[in-house]
Amino acid sequence: MRAEAYQHVEEQLVEEPVIVMKTGAEMVVECLKQEGVDVLFGYPGGAVIPIYDALYDSGLKHVLSRHEQGAIHAADGYARATGKVGVCIATSGPGATNLVTGITNAFMDSIPLVVITGQVPTSYIGTDAFQEADITGITMPITKHNYLVQRIEDLPKILKEAFYIARTGRPGPVLIDIPKDISVQSAPFVYPETVHIPSYQPTVDPNPSQVTKVIKTIQQAKRPLILAGGGVILSNASKELLQFAEKLQIPVTTTLMGIGGFPASHPLWLGMPGMHGTVTANHAIQNADLLIAFGMRFSDRVTGKIERFAPKAKLIHVDIDPAEVGKVVTAHLPLVGDVKRVLQKLVKETKHLHHNDWIEHLQQLKKEKPVRYRDSKERIKTQYVIERLSDFASQDAIVSTDVGQHQMWTAQFFKFEKPRTLLTSGGLGTMGFGLPAAIGAQLAHPDKQVICISGDGSIQMNIQELATVAQENIPIKLAIMNNSFLGMVRQWQELFNERRYSSTTITNPDFVKLADAYGILGLKATKKEEVTEVIEKAFNHPGPVVMNFIVENEENVFPFVPAGASLDEAMEGDDF
């Protein structure tokens, strides 16, 4: 009886859960591990010392930038190159406010980031304490969501939600502001397994009745055109887009953010549309009877004059963000859902179609009106340098750019065959993005070739990140197009302000000597015949390289649709 009684008592015993106590800083590190973060970028300061102390022996790789803007652009480049959530960290006050440009950049291009900032202790908030800034208030319009942590018990749930919100639906940056006292307090740690936010339920699967209407409309079109934006890449839908275009034989144009989402060598690809788009792509938009837009928001740089955009076409607009559908251009058939899932349904449920006359017409125009430039036998044209970079680059090379003429020429002359191989600031147009973005991409893909194409103006916005490159021995190949001008602004001044070059001429350092000062190989080309040799040397060098190309200083980007003009009013340049 005694044994039976003991057995009965043992059966009644319930194993108590093990309570793990962690500080707020330790919770942050453990949550990053749980979310699969392998590298993060940042810059320490007083308010985040506890978090950096927890990082010290965490096993996570932290990359020290030389400016917080460099850190967030590196996290952005990491996210664009991988599709994963990028992570960066900065201290309170100026550290946090130095992130604002990078947060806005990620927000406008729908890039998933979790941004962690330190804050003054909770009892100091609102007292104008040393290095206090209301970063949640400042960033409210430029984040998908943000948090000010007020209780340590909430921290694991907040971190879980932040990663979930950043990566789901239309991706974007989420900021978590952590007061210093929260970082040092201790509490039981349990990381949630799931997230449930009643007010946040993104529509992923499209409405079946709308899909049926879309299919019927496509079948009736004679001159359909696909407009593919960054959403195709963000949803990893490039394979499905190719299947859809080939099955229905519909030509494709990809926005700047969509470049790489459809192979540049494919006969159905017409190039980029818009202000500096190809004549063929813009002609196709203006003469199509049906536009099928996948994951794009109809930026003014794409549409030109809205009232005269695609005057003959009905519009099917597919996007995961219902706020974008019909926001700029009226959608005759809106379809809310994840682009990948929408394309999977369309590929499965549509029949093979042919649009031979339409395709032949566009292919003929593509031959007659290619993107071109007048080359020189002696002087270096930026377009030529980019063509040679493309020729020597591996097919899966990742290219980051800054913003300006070189960015548009990269879009025009570099051949992108795969998604996530062009990293560029589309919506915000952020000079200084290219170098730190390349750092993030190279650390994400250490075995891939990473090239940063920049201008002599843009590169100096975040040139201090060469110290990060040197310290980490990151084998980026940086190509600087040195024309001693802020080129794109100068172009507008030439065309519209009678060559009154107000504050657009710049004096540059010797970039080769500067590279040497950082312990990086520097190369220079002043003549066309030297371009190939410099590129070959750079690509064969195992470490980082800075290439300084002294290029034609008053070259213009064409085609060019002036602001306020329609897409069929492009300037093709005096030479043509």
Side-chain angles (χ1 to χ4, degrees), residues 153-171:
E153 294 83 2
D154 298 332
L155 190 52
K157 179 175 179 287
I158 286 172
L159 280 153
K160 183 73 174 182
E161 287 183 359
F163 277 89
Y164 175 75
I165 292 169
R167 70 164 65 97
T168 57
R170 180 180 181 176

Side-chain angles (χ1 to χ4, degrees), residues 18-24 26-27 30 152-153 184-190:
V18 177
I19 298 175
V20 178
M21 299 292 290
K22 288 186 182 292
T23 66
E26 291 169 339
M27 289 181 182
E30 183 59 33
I152 186 173
E153 294 83 2
V184 298
Q185 291 172 12
S186 296
F189 175 77
V190 178

